[in-house]
Amino acid sequence: MRVLKITAMAALLVMAASVAFAGPTYDRVMSTKVIKAGLSNQGIPFGFINDKNEWVGFDVDMATEIAKRLGCKLEKVVVNNNTRISFVQTNPPKVDMVLSNMTHKRVRDEKIDFSITYFFDGQKFLAKKGAVKDAKDLANLKVGSMQGTTSIVNATAYLKELGNANPQVTGYDGEVAMFEALRSGRVQAITTDSTILLGYAAKVPGQFELVGDFISDEPYGIGLPQDDSAWRDTINFTIQDIWKDGTYLKIYDKWFGANSQYPFPLTSKIEMWP
Amino acid sequence: MFKRYFEKIWVQNLALLALTGLVVYYFAFIFEFKYDFDWAVFVVEGQYGHMGHLMLNGINTTLTITLYSAAIALAMGTIFGLARLSSFKPVYWFATCYVELFRNTPLLIQLFFWNFALPYAFPEEIRFKLFDMNFEFWCATVGCGIFTGAFMAEIIRAGIQSIPKGLLEAAYSSGLTFPQTLRKVILPLAFREIIPPLGSEFLNNMKNTSLAMTIGVSELCWSMTEVYSLTYRTFEAFSVATLVYLALSLSIAGILYIVNERLKIMPRDRITPLRRVADILFWPLDFLGRKLEYVFWYFRKSPDQRTVSPFKQFLNRLGKDLTKALKFLFVAAIAYILYMVVMALFHFNWEIIGANFKTLLIWRFPEGDETEFCFGLGGLASSLLMAAISIAGSFLIGLAVGMGRTSKNRVFRIPCLLYIELIRGVPLILVILWFYQAILEFVFKVDVQAFWAATIAMTFFFGAYIAETVRGGIENIPAGQVEAAKASGLTYLQTMRKIILPQALKQMLPALVGMFIAAFKDTSLAYIIGVMELTRAAYAINNRIMIYPFEIYTTVAVLYFVFSYFMSLYAKRLERKLSPETIRIEM
């Protein structure tokens, strides 16, 4: 009898909890005034830990700015390449938005929603200076990339296109392991979005260079829970506001401007709605 | 009345069935999953390739690593287990260092060390040659092998040492030579002691290969992560991986069970059917053994040979000199290694270690955000905290489940058994991922910080292990005490509370301390979901500095070692203090 009672109590508790947590993201954020943002903490310069053990980066600044404009407190949650989508996909979502250098792709958009593009990047290769003269040289190199990203899929397809039927692409666990593989020489080139590559190449100045052309377009969007248009609108409007009054450029220059550690000229404009 | 009915088997079966029905009914009809299952991802070719093939490749790699590393571990275990018994002190010290060092640091840190730091110890040409040979794969395989080998060495040493001296004396006095004693007395007895714990080490080794994913080896766990990050099918990917690991564990356990059955001593007229199966399976080995016996018989030394021929004497002399030379060489090699270690320590960038030491200990506490776990507490402090909380929690689970496991009533026994076997068949890394990304989220609908998710997962994981310890403790209590308690009118719970548990818990204390060490080392796995514990803190520091992996990973390994080693010394002391034979009764 007691077992039954306890089971029934547990079941009731679980159901009560599920009721308490339900509700669209917009309403919840506006009532609790806390935004939970999924951010990477090992991707220089988008989200990483600096020498004061502070969590900084372009994505972190963007998230902070968004939260500030919505009058909310920001709660940072660590995501990685494997979890960044599933965290907004769950119901209720584990985080309210994900800024983790995430490319807006149609397949991904079937599972979660995306904001307008807030950063423009493309995939490239990074290799030792002078090791790769021509893009064709890449075909037979050992290449490293990151597990759980589309970079690894793109790279395999690209090497196949260049004429290598059986390309050697290893998927490492995160940016650090990937760059370490290149630095120690276990792969001859690594590939992912060019800004990330720049961030790591700046660690050992003058040794590595970007090679070849962009092999894909990587427009970054903020990952948002599916089917919550009030929330998506809020985020989109906020991004446009950030762009309109010049704050975006300030943040951009801080991380990618000519005087920054990882110079990367701004090529496009954020989509503005009149 | 009710109680009497509950003792009937059919009532128990019915109750079990009803419970299962309730659970199924709840999850099928009442519970809102809010998740659509789509098992087709494994058979349909998607935009990013065929996920089924990816998983199969992963299984293949896992099996390969498991087999190779098990062979390496067995070899290392035998060599170092014997070396631990050597009377030549340098060999003994070396083996002891190996065993203590590798048993008291987490496998994850060892793998990171081999993978990130070790290559820099070699000159460039050798390094590139190494990298040409599938470096990550061999790194993981050899790493797992060496780690498990350290545990096996202890088991083998203990097994050989467990043979009573009297037996050896008896063997010698009845005229057996040393090789004969080894073959006929020492090895058969030692094997019977060794095989069960050795088997569970093989099982652990299989589960540990899942850590290879963290250095980029595309084994089962790696494939699983790849599948869910490309198709966003968390539940499906996790379930398949879990089932595969369970199947692997069950097959290893099955093999061990048969081996055990073969080794049991049973009278000829009471042979079980399983023993017959085992006999048939082991027939080729038995056959080989009998033939070898024949060969040995013909090559035996004739007992009446009293004089030694000059040639034989020369050979003897050569053998002795060779051993002496080898011993000298060994000492020289050890001295050289020590010199290298000292030089390496001398060339360490101590400034880097000093600058980051506080970070490794407490991360950014107390300057962290208020949204962070405990104001940014991390590093060693949070590893210890996590281990302490999860062991305390799993002790409660273990107590209840362990009691349920020993219960005669099926309604309690079978669910407990399922829980124990299910959890013990799956790698911890998978349990953590399950809790963090699936169970807490979908089933319990709670949203907790990564630290708590990992702690809860570890609590459930170690609960199963502690339950087994508790069961062992309870079963060790003589049955007469239970009968006496029953006769004097105590109820089951009273018997447990007043008689069995106080004695069992005292016996279990050293095992519990051992479990705490294991939990402390395993907190390193919380790294995978981004908890800022010691390993993740080291990773973050390495991410920032990049060029001193050697210094950082050595420091972390030392930190883990110091705590685990002193805890294990404490456990040993506790064991000595608690064992009734050595205790001195004072009046």
Side-chain angles (χ1 to χ4, degrees), chain A residues 29-98:
Chain A
V29 169
M30 286 307 146
S31 66
T32 58
K33 287 286 169 195
V34 174
I35 299 183
K36 278 192 275 181
L39 296 158
S40 163
N41 68 359
Q42 54 170 339
I44 300 170
F46 287 95
F48 62 100
I49 312 273
N50 71 3
D51 48 4
K52 291 191 194 78
N53 292 334
E54 285 157 350
W55 195 351
V56 293
F58 179 80
D59 277 341
V60 178
D61 282 357
M62 281 302 280
T64 315
E65 188 64 29
I66 290 172
K68 199 176 95 191
R69 282 176 192 242
L70 295 179
C72 297
K73 216 160 65 182
L74 183 73
E75 188 181 331
K76 295 179 232 168
V77 177
V78 188
V79 296
N80 57 34
N81 297 325
N82 306 319
T83 56
R84 56 188 177 184
I85 286 170
S86 64
F87 275 16
V88 267
Q89 201 193 354
T90 57
N91 192 353
K94 228 176 161 76
V95 293
D96 305 315
M97 58 179 187
V98 166

Side-chain angles (χ1 to χ4, degrees), chain B residues 302-487:
Chain B
S302 60
D304 45 355
Q305 196 180 29
R306 298 259 178 241
T307 52
V308 182
S309 68
F311 177 66
K312 192 100 192 197
Q313 194 185 11
F314 171 72
L315 272 187
N316 280 352
R317 198 153 182 99
L318 200 70
K320 262 182 203 155
D321 286 349
L322 213 65
T323 336
K324 222 181 238 169
L326 275 178
K327 277 183 181 173
F328 183 74
L329 260 179
F330 184 80
V331 173
I334 294 279
Y336 180 69
I337 290 177
L338 268 180
Y339 169 76
M340 291 293 280
V341 169
V342 169
M343 283 317 278
L345 283 179
F346 191 69
H347 286 296
F348 258 25
N349 192 331
W350 290 99
E351 241 170 81
I352 287 283
I353 298 176
N356 291 300
F357 199 65
K358 192 185 146 223
T359 310
L360 286 176
L361 290 186
I362 53 170
W363 189 238
R364 46 185 289 190
F365 180 78
E367 280 123 45
D369 266 5
E370 52 186 297
T371 52
E372 280 174 71
F373 168 70
C374 196
F375 295 97
L377 186 70
L380 181 68
S382 82
S383 290
L384 283 169
L385 191 66
M386 191 185 277
I389 297 175
S390 56
I391 280 299
S394 51
F395 179 69
L396 297 179
I397 295 180
L399 212 57
V401 175
M403 269 162 62
R405 175 80 176 73
T406 50
S407 153
K408 278 202 192 71
N409 197 318
R410 289 181 177 209
V411 181
F412 300 114
R413 196 179 67 222
I414 290 177
C416 291
L417 185 77
L418 276 179
Y419 164 74
I420 293 176
E421 294 306 322
L422 210 69
I423 294 276
R424 276 158 46 102
V426 183
L428 175 57
I429 203 169
L430 209 56
V431 177
I432 291 180
L433 287 176
W434 262 114
F435 269 87
Y436 189 50
Q437 278 174 263
I439 294 182
L440 291 177
E441 207 53 63
F442 285 95
V443 182
F444 292 105
K445 313 261 188 247
V446 288
D447 182 28
V448 292
Q449 276 169 325
F451 176 89
W452 291 112
T455 310
I456 295 172
M458 283 184 52
T459 309
F460 271 84
F461 185 77
F462 282 103
Y465 285 79
I466 291 186
E468 278 298 276
T469 320
V470 171
R471 180 179 74 114
I474 292 177
E475 281 173 357
N476 259 347
I477 306 295
Q481 293 196 13
V482 183
E483 283 156 17
K486 217 176 195 175

Side-chain angles (χ1 to χ4, degrees), chain A residues 106-272:
Chain A
R106 288 176 83 139
V107 221
R108 286 177 179 162
D109 210 328
E110 286 167 11
K111 310 288 177 200
I112 60 173
D113 274 350
F114 277 89
S115 71
I116 54 171
T117 305
Y118 73 98
F119 193 86
F120 309 89
D121 205 345
Q123 189 178 342
K124 268 207 173 186
F125 285 87
L126 183 77
K128 259 217 167 80
K129 222 169 205 167
V132 179
K133 300 269 186 302
D134 187 60
K136 291 244 168 0
D137 296 349
L138 287 167
N140 294 314
L141 294 186
K142 270 205 276 182
V143 172
S145 190
M146 277 187 291
Q147 192 203 3
T149 64
T150 46
S151 303
I152 177 169
V153 184
N154 289 342
T156 317
Y158 182 69
L159 295 187
K160 271 189 182 150
E161 219 171 88
L162 286 178
N164 184 352
N166 191 15
Q168 283 184 293
V169 182
T170 313
Y172 291 101
D173 176 35
E175 290 87 345
V176 194
M178 173 181 74
F179 184 67
E180 175 55 35
L182 174 70
R183 208 170 70 83
S184 64
R186 74 185 64 172
V187 293
Q188 284 112 36
I190 55 176
T191 176
T192 187
D193 303 349
S194 62
T195 39
I196 298 177
L197 294 177
L198 278 177
Y200 281 89
K203 284 274 171 197
V204 270
Q207 283 194 24
F208 300 101
E209 60 178 358
L210 289 178
V211 292
D213 303 321
F214 286 106
I215 67 168
S216 71
D217 250 346
E218 308 283 336
Y220 291 174
I222 299 178
L224 304 166
Q226 184 83 311
D227 296 337
D228 191 340
S229 69
W231 178 234
R232 197 175 60 212
D233 279 346
T234 312
I235 295 292
N236 279 340
F237 294 160
T238 315
I239 297 175
Q240 289 174 341
D241 290 345
I242 293 174
W243 173 273
K244 211 163 29 185
D245 64 11
T247 319
Y248 182 89
L249 265 182
K250 250 185 235 156
I251 299 176
Y252 192 91
D253 277 344
K254 179 176 165 198
W255 296 103
F256 302 106
N259 298 326
S260 70
Q261 258 189 303
Y262 330 101
F264 186 74
L266 184 63
T267 49
S268 294
K269 275 185 181 165
I270 276 180
E271 175 188 354
M272 289 298 278

Side-chain angles (χ1 to χ4, degrees), chain B residues 44-154:
Chain B
V44 181
E45 171 117 29
Q47 191 191 355
Y48 299 130
H50 198 297
M51 295 302 147
H53 290 173
L54 203 62
M55 286 304 260
L56 282 180
N57 276 340
I59 296 172
N60 184 22
T61 316
T62 292
L63 281 176
T64 321
I65 302 182
T66 305
L67 286 179
Y68 284 161
S69 59
I72 294 173
L74 194 60
M76 296 292 275
T78 317
I79 294 171
F80 282 95
L82 292 177
R84 286 266 279 159
L85 295 170
S86 166
S87 52
F88 182 53
K89 282 294 163 195
V91 170
Y92 169 78
W93 290 328
F94 182 66
T96 310
C97 282
Y98 162 78
V99 168
E100 296 298 350
L101 208 63
F102 285 91
R103 268 167 24 127
N104 288 313
T105 41
L107 176 59
L108 191 63
I109 289 292
Q110 289 175 26
L111 287 183
F112 279 171
F113 193 85
W114 298 136
N115 190 51
F116 291 127
L118 185 75
Y120 288 102
F122 294 115
E124 214 156 73
E125 305 95 68
I126 298 179
R127 206 197 309 164
F128 287 143
K129 281 225 178 75
L130 281 177
F131 289 154
D132 274 342
M133 309 186 291
N134 209 349
F135 182 73
E136 277 92 8
F137 173 82
W138 286 111
C139 201
T141 310
V142 176
C144 285
I146 292 180
F147 177 75
T148 315
F151 287 86
M152 287 189 172
E154 269 308 88

Side-chain angles (χ1 to χ4, degrees), chain B residues 23 39 47 81 100 147 149 152 173-174 220 287 301 303 311 333 341 373 406 415 421 485 492 499 522 567 571:
Chain B
V23 170
W39 296 96
Q47 191 191 355
E100 296 298 350
F147 177 75
M152 287 189 172
S173 56
S174 61
L220 183 54
F287 182 74
K301 218 193 278 174
F311 177 66
V341 169
F373 168 70
T406 50
E421 294 306 322
Y492 172 76
I499 295 171
D522 280 345
M567 286 298 286

